[in-house]
Amino acid sequence: MEALTLLKTRNSAAKLCAPGPKDEDLEEIFAAASRAPDHSRLRPWRFLVVRGESLSALGELFATAAMQRNRELSEADCQRFRLQPLRAPLILVVIACIKDHPKVPVIEQQLSAGCAAHGALLAAEALGYAAIWRTGENAFDPVVHKGLGLESHEEISGFLYMGTREGSAKPLPEMLPTDFMKEWR
Ligand SMILES: Cc1cc2nc3c(=O)[nH]c(=O)nc-3n(C[C@H](O)[C@H](O)[C@H](O)COP(=O)(O)O)c2cc1C
């Protein structure tokens, strides 16, 4: 797909089925992600690939974290968390690795990790897959961070659910540049 068309038409998909990205496609996805703008070349991101049985393990981790946040969580809600990662054949966990740097504040490193996530989403779509970036309370939960092996200087930027679009694409919202830009002076 032509680059500008891809940029203008990327469209998240909430409903995803198999197949998810193959290993060689993941290589392309990571190559695209690694071209994120990056002040001082800190590479302030890393990815975890979660697929196969590990999706259920991630669901267990989500449910455990949710139960610790709320001791009165109903079994139905617990099960909802358990099933969340099974909504796609593959999840990329995008982790922002924040470094203490004299010139690059935390926000710039977080933005860079966000750009890496966007690059991954665009590459997935270019390769014929579909995806959606999700967070939710579990992205910010220390129990989830520990279970995924994050260090104290790391944060979850998002869970990129990836697979094949189920059903038709949602209509893109109409937005004119004049809705969000104007000339200055
Ligand atoms: C940082 C971030 C976190 C998000 N978290 C969620 C989420 O937890 N659940 C969700 O349904 N959408 C979430 N979204 C929004 C979707 O990824 C998506 O952008 C939205 O459904 C609109 O679709 P579009 O990307 O095709 O415009 C998040 C987006 C961003 C950038």
Side-chain angles (χ1 to χ4, degrees):
M1 194 189 293
E2 201 246 323
L4 206 48
T5 304
L6 174 68
L7 285 166
K8 292 194 296 184
T9 59
R10 183 203 58 79
N11 196 354
S12 304
K15 291 198 171 166
L16 295 161
C17 57
K22 300 187 287 246
D23 284 349
E24 60 259 41
D25 293 333
L26 280 177
E27 273 181 38
E28 298 281 64
I29 287 169
F30 293 133
S34 73
R35 287 306 307 132
D38 173 15
H39 193 174
S40 287
R41 295 257 161 104
L42 295 182
R43 308 273 187 271
W45 62 76
R46 66 185 180 96
F47 289 83
L48 296 175
V49 180
V50 184
R51 53 185 155 175
E53 288 176 9
S54 304
L55 291 166
S56 301
L58 182 60
E60 277 308 322
L61 184 58
F62 282 0
T64 303
M67 280 188 286
Q68 293 193 22
R69 283 196 301 273
N70 174 11
R71 299 272 170 201
E72 276 150 41
L73 194 71
S74 68
E75 182 44 40
D77 281 338
C78 200
Q79 184 64 359
R80 194 169 50 78
F81 282 113
R82 215 171 260 129
L83 294 177
Q84 273 180 353
L86 302 177
R87 291 178 291 184
L90 185 144
I91 295 176
L92 295 183
V93 187
V94 187
I95 299 169
C97 315
I98 308 299
K99 294 171 185 113
D100 201 11
H101 191 281
K103 284 199 190 137
V104 189
V106 172
I107 178 93
E108 292 190 6
Q109 299 181 48
Q110 290 166 327
L111 289 167
S112 193
C115 289
H118 190 219
L121 288 179
L122 288 165
E125 192 145 326
L127 290 161
Y129 299 103
I132 184 164
W133 181 341
R134 295 184 190 273
T135 49
E137 286 173 282
N138 277 320
F140 310 104
D141 192 300
V143 172
V144 174
H145 289 190
K146 185 160 184 269
L148 289 173
L150 267 68
E151 294 184 25
S152 58
H153 63 283
E154 295 185 318
E155 304 166 359
I156 292 179
S157 307
F159 299 101
L160 306 183
Y161 287 64
M162 293 188 168
T164 299
R165 189 185 298 277
E166 221 179 84
S168 47
K170 65 179 160 52
L172 293 172
E174 276 195 36
M175 211 187 276
L176 297 170
T178 46
D179 293 340
F180 56 86
M181 66 75 69
K182 64 179 183 184
E183 294 283 339
W184 183 63
R185 289 153 73 115

